[in-house]
Amino acid sequence: MKALLVTAVVALATAGAAVAANGSGGITGPAIYVDGQAYRTVGTPTDLSNTGAPAHSFDTIYMLPGQSLDVATAAPGDAGYNGGRWMVHLIAYNTNYATTVAAHDTNASGDLDSAAEVEAALADPGAGGAVDTGVVKEFVCPVIKL
């Protein structure tokens, strides 16, 4: 009976770990933009935060509150792409999201959908600008063009 109980507890723990991993992973729907193109991701539970990995070993994802898709600086096939190693920077707006999009959405997509648009907002000290508040996470996550 004791062996059966131990086996059941181990099975439940293993199933719980798989559910937790699946909940934080798997193939997503559209998740990020790279140069105006939507990409899906393959979420993994790999967290590289506070590992001391050098910044140049990551590509940047700009996390944009108020926007459904974040913006990445690179994708597979781009020169210098780091294979899905990401450093996430949280962006704050000088006024609000709508004002920043109105000022820097150069292709009239309704979003900031390229690193160039986000970086233009970051260089703008005015009402339409934005500020990089810093790195909030580092992780591994492959991306797939839609």
Side-chain angles (χ1 to χ4, degrees):
M1 181 68 159
K2 188 174 184 181
L4 184 59
L5 182 58
V6 168
T7 302
V9 169
V10 169
L12 280 172
T14 303
V19 168
N22 288 339
S24 66
I27 298 174
T28 69
I32 62 171
Y33 288 119
V34 180
D35 295 327
Q37 172 69 49
Y39 283 74
R40 67 180 66 222
T41 63
V42 180
T44 69
T46 307
D47 184 358
L48 300 176
S49 301
N50 303 313
T51 61
H56 71 270
S57 70
F58 296 94
D59 292 309
T60 299
I61 292 178
Y62 295 112
M63 183 187 299
L64 302 162
Q67 183 165 299
S68 60
L69 303 183
D70 295 327
V71 174
T73 58
D78 290 350
Y81 176 65
N82 285 301
R85 290 172 52 98
W86 303 104
M87 182 178 288
V88 181
H89 290 252
L90 179 61
I91 303 303
Y93 310 109
N94 294 352
T95 304
N96 57 46
Y97 172 73
T99 303
T100 300
V101 169
H104 297 286
D105 178 16
T106 58
N107 63 354
S109 67
D111 281 331
L112 300 179
D113 61 4
S114 70
E117 289 178 345
V118 175
E119 290 162 2
L122 292 172
D124 179 357
V131 176
D132 184 336
T133 66
V135 175
V136 295
K137 188 167 186 167
E138 298 170 338
F139 64 98
V140 175
C141 180
V143 296
I144 303 164
K145 191 174 188 178
L146 291 178

